Structure formats: structure tokens, C-alpha cells
Amino acid sequence: MRVFGVDIGGTGIKGAPVDIEDGTLAAPRFRIPTPRPADPESVARTVAQVVEHFDWSGPVGATFPAVIKSGVARTAANVDPSWVDTDVSATLSTALGSALGGTEVSVVNDADAAGVAEMAFGAGRDTSGLVVMTTFGTGIGTALFLHGQLVPNTELGHLEIHGHDAETKASEAAREREDLSWDKWAKRVNRYLATVEALLWPDLIIIGGGASKKADKFFDHLQLRTKVVPAQLQNDAGIIGAALVAVGDQTRPRPVPRPTRRRGPATRPPGGRRP
Ligand code: BGC
């Protein structure tokens, strides 16, 4: 089955039809720079252009870089403030109209979408337990999975570290803005991930976003107890995750590991039978 995925980002809006059985793009993705200002109407028009480029008719899923509750944006850390409390799903559905073939656009937080894709087809494919997906880009996005199931809208990129919102210091954008060496930036990323680790004790951390393509430049500087791996689907994770979520697939349940019983010495009441 094919579903259209759109990834709405701060610099580009990109989309492609996705083969949801194997998580591959059915055609090369098409990208249009995010309009300025990135208000709801302009963004919706651009999303429609991306979808029309493929002459698509059918279900569409979209990512959005904010907390999304029932299709409505609740925050706007790195997007136009006019998005707060906007029904993103309704706005996009109106702009796409008949291209949707009678369905509504489903909308999901961008990091949650990337995480869903990585858990289904990428770096988290075989992992049970607690997985934290992080995306380092304009901001820091996070997605949390327990035994393959998404816990949506975790906003751990805004953890306060040394008095600062973490993403203002350790995002990919912060590295570029402050012209940090990879070494210096990696130290900040490490401090950030060590904080996440100390609070959640995950089994796996996946690093995605723009930085995941340059893993060789900073992975050696990371010193964490948790296994850390780069994302595998890179630029396509958002598109693939958006398509999966559009058909209700935000979870790939994993077997829950059974707790191992520690057997103590058999105890019997003195002179009697076991109760
Ligand atoms: C937003 C998140 C988003 C992340 C990555 C943060 O500033 O609060 O919702 O997932 O940026 O785009």
C-alpha cells in the first residue's frame, strides 16, 4: 500500500509517496523551500504544491515541528507563533481538498514521525525496552518508545541545562550559529544526552536529524553508558514516519522481556511443609 508522507520543516517542505510495507519511497522526494513567513496559509499552500507534483490522490500524513494534540499544534518553538492552537490537520485538509480522496491529513510531531520510521525500518528495528530518538536540527526533537510503542510529544529538547533551554546550545543550528568545532559541539551533545540518560536510563539512543549524516565527525566524542547509534533513514525518516502514522501505524510492539526471577534458597517453615 502507498501513502503520501510530507515533512514540514523550518527550511524545506518535502514529500513523496511511501511504500508502507517496506518503508521505502515509491518515487524520489520533492522539496520546496518553506515560505517566509511560514504562516498556516502559506505553508498549507506549499504542502498542496508538493502533493500535486505527484498528482496524488489518497491518504496523506504530515509531520509538524511542534506538540500535536488531536491534529492541533500546541507549541511553536521554531515555527511562526500563529500556529499555536491552529488545527494543522484541518488547515492542510482544506488546502489539499479532493487530493485526499475523502480522508483527513493526519499530523504528527516531526521527531515522533522520524522515530516511528526508525523503529519500524531503521536503527531501532529490533529493539525492545526504552528507546530515545533524538533529532538534531533547527531544534532538538525527541521521541520515546517503550517496547516499540510511541509515547507521543515528549519535548526533551527543551530540558533546562545550566540555565539554558538545551536546544539553544546543542542543536545543529547552534553549532552552525556559533561556528563550533565538532569537538566542542560533541561535548554539548554529550552533556545533553547524559542528562537524558540520567533521567530515563534508556536501552538505546538514536541520533537523527541533519547531524546523523555526519556521525563520523562526532560519535567518537560521545561517552555515555547507553548504546548510541546514528539514524539510518536520515532525510527520509520524517516522510516515511508521517505515512506510517497516517494509516494508524505508530507502534511496532516488541516482545516485553520477562523479568528474570532470582531464586533464593528454598525456605521451609521449621519442621513443616511449604505453605
Ligand atoms: C519543538 C519540537 C520539535 C523539535 C524538532 C522543538 O523546538 O519544540 O516539537 O520536535 O523542535 O523540530
Side-chain angles (χ1 to χ4, degrees):
M1 180 187 182
R2 286 183 183 171
V3 176
F4 201 92
V6 186
D7 194 5
I8 302 177
T11 55
I13 297 179
K14 49 205 190 213
V18 177
D19 235 310
I20 58 164
E21 274 82 29
D22 60 4
T24 55
L25 303 193
R29 68 207 178 102
F30 179 64
R31 178 185 188 275
I32 300 181
T34 306
R36 294 268 166 259
D39 56 87
E41 277 65 42
S42 319
V43 168
R45 222 175 303 124
T46 309
V47 169
Q49 283 165 10
V50 170
V51 176
E52 278 158 18
H53 174 83
F54 293 86
D55 215 1
W56 175 263
S57 172
V60 175
T63 73
F64 198 77
V67 168
I68 298 292
K69 298 290 276 183
S70 307
V72 178
R74 293 299 187 195
T75 60
N78 285 310
V79 288
D80 196 272
S82 58
W83 280 101
V84 175
D85 293 338
T86 297
D87 190 328
V88 187
S89 171
T91 307
L92 298 182
S93 300
T94 306
L96 289 177
S98 57
L100 291 169
T103 62
E104 288 267 287
V105 177
S106 87
V107 182
V108 59
N109 169 268
D110 56 353
D112 283 349
V116 165
E118 289 291 337
M119 291 302 285
F121 301 111
R125 219 168 30 236
D126 304 314
T127 311
S128 294
L130 195 69
V131 179
V132 178
M133 165 87 190
T134 54
T135 62
F136 290 82
T138 312
I140 298 179
T142 58
L144 188 68
F145 295 84
L146 181 61
H147 306 316
Q149 170 122 28
L150 173 69
V151 180
N153 289 313
T154 52
E155 287 282 316
L156 302 178
H158 299 295
L159 280 175
E160 189 179 313
I161 300 179
H162 296 322
H164 298 282
D165 181 331
E167 74 170 19
T168 62
K169 293 281 166 191
S171 61
E172 167 87 343
R175 185 182 67 76
E176 286 168 5
R177 199 170 47 237
E178 296 184 42
D179 199 16
L180 298 172
S181 65
W182 285 102
D183 193 3
K184 263 202 167 157
W185 181 68
K187 282 200 183 99
R188 292 188 185 186
V189 171
N190 199 73
R191 191 178 308 141
Y192 169 68
L193 294 178
T195 306
V196 171
E197 180 179 64
L199 294 172
L200 293 175
W201 287 83
D203 298 292
L204 177 71
I205 295 175
I206 303 172
I207 297 191
S212 62
K213 281 177 276 177
K214 301 166 197 150
D216 54 316
K217 300 219 190 267
F218 68 97
F219 257 64
D220 283 353
H221 300 288
L222 301 180
Q223 290 179 331
L224 296 155
R225 292 188 186 90
T226 314
K227 184 175 172 198
V228 190
V229 294
Q232 289 174 2
L233 305 172
Q234 299 185 344
N235 280 336
D236 296 335
I239 295 175
I240 297 168
L244 290 176
V245 174
V247 284
D249 189 351
Q250 13 182 305
T251 139
R252 297 277 159 137
R254 312 285 198 269
V256 180
R258 291 175 144 234
T260 40
R261 273 247 191 109
R262 299 184 75 209
R263 288 185 183 272
T267 50
R268 285 172 194 265
R273 295 184 179 181
R274 264 181 215 260

